[in-house]
Amino acid sequence: MGNKRDEKRAELRKRLIEAAEDQISQQGIDGLKARAVTAQAGCALGALYNAFEDLDMLIMHVNSRTLARLGAALRSALPEQETSPEEVMQALATRYVDFACENHKLWIALFEHRPPEGHEIPEWHRQDHAVLIEVIVAPLKQLRPDLDDQALVLRSRTTFAAVHGVVLLALQGRFVGVPMQDLRQEVSALVSAMTRGAHLAV
Amino acid sequence: MGNKRDEKRAELRKRLIEAAEDQISQQGIDGLKARAVTAQAGCALGALYNAFEDLDMLIMHVNSRTLARLGAALRSALPEQETSPEEVMQALATRYVDFACENHKLWIALFEHRPPEGHEIPEWHRQDHAVLIEVIVAPLKQLRPDLDDQALVLRSRTTFAAVHGVVLLALQGRFVGVPMQDLRQEVSALVSAMTRGAHLAV
């Protein structure tokens, strides 16, 4: 009987995550309402708080799902044949832009969600963010064979954040963001400059 | 008498902006309460809505003040003696990091404030964001004399957004952000790679 109960619970959690994902993809995390999620999942409001500690925990599960999809998208963008590190970086950046554009509100939720003051982010959720960085390490190592592993991870974070900044300000429609029609070309120019200058940099 | 009234009104607006600035610098825009602002400014709640259309309009005035201070900080970072475009870019990026660290919540308010759906951002407030970009155009023109004015402005936005992305993820303490103790060095490495690779880029 215990197994059956665990199964039902897992099934309910899955339905709740899928409903929350659907809600966030339409309205973003600011508009996420527990009642709308449970209505869509076909369960009582209280069932949500039995299945998850709170709405923030549910959002983290949705974000981990998005990260897994994004990670798979980035890995599948890696060229099959051996090629230059710049081409690898360009392929990854292009796929990142595509994913952000196609999953706008789920993608922005990754960077907008903040758990309430005093709540720690669970370690499993932290770890799920590694997919954003790990694909960058190999091409960066080719560009900067002089850097040790720790410095490479750090520089991978910096490289990611630079591309992310351009995509973020553009998709948010910020005053200083580049217009959407120029986004792909500008990200490509940034990656080109960053990679060609990487070995010249200090 | 009209003049006296205008003067009093201008003085009240100034007091409200200063009170809101103080509140935002402590609690951020999410925690901004009209009552706390009017209490600090020493006026009735209704006076705020006489002086400003709504709280969003007051936030935009605070943001414009922050942009003016940031613009002055960036201009004063420009080297007095003629130097390489890379050194100019490095000086600007360093000052940007300093300003963001020293004015954390006022700075983040520039990028987090969204007016309510359907409300247009006034043109004067849009224009006030030009300070983020205009200092970058001259050194970039030295690096890329082949680009026309429009392409230069676009590339300046991209360059700003790249540095901004690294600062943002670090200061937000995001999982993939670089740790604060590495931020200055990583921004410097990014600027170095971007500027050295700029003329090699396509």
Side-chain angles (χ1 to χ4, degrees):
Chain A
M1 283 302 282
N3 263 359
K4 189 96 189 238
R5 212 172 128 179
D6 287 353
E7 249 175 53
K8 278 191 102 166
R9 187 182 150 85
E11 203 270 326
L12 175 64
R13 279 168 65 99
K14 187 162 170 282
R15 256 176 28 232
L16 284 164
I17 293 169
E18 285 170 354
E21 183 181 58
D22 189 56
Q23 294 281 327
I24 293 172
S25 75
Q26 291 176 51
Q27 295 161 34
I29 47 170
D30 286 343
L32 189 68
K33 299 273 179 293
R35 274 185 196 285
V37 172
T38 50
Q40 187 170 339
C43 67
L45 186 62
L48 191 158
Y49 297 100
N50 273 329
F52 296 98
E53 203 179 307
D54 53 24
L55 209 53
D56 287 293
M57 192 54 86
L58 180 56
I59 292 173
M60 284 188 248
H61 277 86
V62 172
N63 280 352
S64 277
R65 245 171 94 106
T66 306
L67 286 166
R69 282 201 298 127
L70 176 49
L74 292 174
R75 284 189 301 276
S76 77
L78 292 171
E80 281 178 33
Q81 316 227 313
E82 202 169 318
T83 179
S84 70
E86 182 181 342
E87 277 184 64
V88 177
M89 293 285 207
Q90 289 289 4
L92 289 170
T94 300
R95 188 60 60 91
Y96 188 70
V97 173
D98 289 342
F99 188 92
C101 291
E102 287 160 15
N103 300 272
H104 188 166
K105 289 189 174 166
L106 286 168
W107 165 78
I108 200 78
L110 300 177
F111 300 95
E112 285 189 346
H113 179 246
R114 271 178 295 216
E117 291 274 339
H119 280 232
E120 280 284 309
I121 308 277
E123 190 54 29
W124 59 263
H125 186 54
R126 283 189 176 276
Q127 294 298 334
D128 285 345
H129 287 76
V131 297
L132 300 175
I133 303 303
E134 57 195 16
V135 282
I136 306 174
V137 177
L140 201 60
K141 195 183 175 95
Q142 280 187 270
L143 290 166
R144 293 295 304 266
D146 57 308
L147 295 182
D148 65 24
D149 285 354
Q150 203 187 337
L152 272 175
V153 170
L154 200 55
R155 196 59 47 88
S156 299
R157 287 173 178 236
T158 304
T159 307
F160 168 77
V163 170
H164 175 73
V166 180
V167 181
L168 182 73
L169 294 187
L171 260 79
Q172 286 186 328
R174 286 283 158 193
F175 321 104
V176 291
V178 301
M180 282 306 292
Q181 75 263 23
D182 299 310
L183 176 59
R184 282 176 171 76
Q185 186 202 304
E186 285 300 304
V187 165
S188 172
L190 170 65
V191 170
S192 178
M194 277 197 300
T195 51
R196 289 175 196 212
H199 64 287
L200 307 165
V202 284
Chain B
M1 285 299 282
N3 263 0
K4 189 97 187 234
R5 212 172 129 178
D6 287 353
E7 248 175 56
K8 278 192 102 164
R9 186 182 152 85
E11 204 270 327
L12 175 64
R13 280 168 65 100
K14 185 160 169 284
R15 254 173 33 230
L16 285 164
I17 292 169
E18 285 171 353
E21 183 181 56
D22 189 56
Q23 294 281 327
I24 292 171
S25 74
Q26 291 176 51
Q27 296 162 33
I29 46 171
D30 286 344
L32 190 68
K33 299 274 180 291
R35 272 185 198 285
V37 172
T38 49
Q40 187 170 338
C43 68
L45 186 63
L48 192 157
Y49 297 100
N50 271 330
F52 295 97
E53 203 179 307
D54 53 25
L55 209 53
D56 287 293
M57 191 56 86
L58 179 56
I59 292 172
M60 284 188 251
H61 277 87
V62 172
N63 280 352
S64 277
R65 243 169 97 105
T66 306
L67 286 166
R69 282 200 299 127
L70 176 49
L74 292 174
R75 285 190 300 275
S76 77
L78 292 170
E80 281 178 31
Q81 314 226 312
E82 201 167 320
T83 180
S84 71
E86 182 180 343
E87 278 185 62
V88 178
M89 292 285 206
Q90 290 287 5
L92 289 171
T94 300
R95 188 60 60 91
Y96 188 70
V97 173
D98 288 342
F99 188 92
C101 291
E102 288 160 14
N103 301 271
H104 189 165
K105 289 189 173 168
L106 286 168
W107 165 77
I108 200 77
L110 299 177
F111 300 94
E112 284 189 345
H113 179 246
R114 272 178 294 215
E117 291 274 337
H119 279 230
E120 280 285 309
I121 308 276
E123 191 54 29
W124 60 263
H125 186 54
R126 285 190 174 274
Q127 293 298 333
D128 285 345
H129 288 75
V131 297
L132 300 174
I133 302 303
E134 58 196 14
V135 282
I136 306 173
V137 176
L140 200 60
K141 195 184 175 93
Q142 281 186 270
L143 290 165
R144 293 296 303 266
D146 58 308
L147 295 181
D148 65 24
D149 285 354
Q150 204 187 339
L152 272 175
V153 170
L154 199 55
R155 196 59 48 88
S156 299
R157 288 174 177 236
T158 304
T159 306
F160 168 78
V163 170
H164 174 74
V166 180
V167 181
L168 182 73
L169 294 187
L171 260 80
Q172 287 186 326
R174 286 283 158 194
F175 322 103
V176 290
V178 301
M180 282 306 291
Q181 74 262 26
D182 300 310
L183 176 58
R184 282 178 170 77
Q185 185 201 306
E186 285 300 305
V187 164
S188 172
L190 171 65
V191 171
S192 179
M194 278 198 301
T195 51
R196 288 173 196 213
H199 64 287
L200 306 165
V202 283

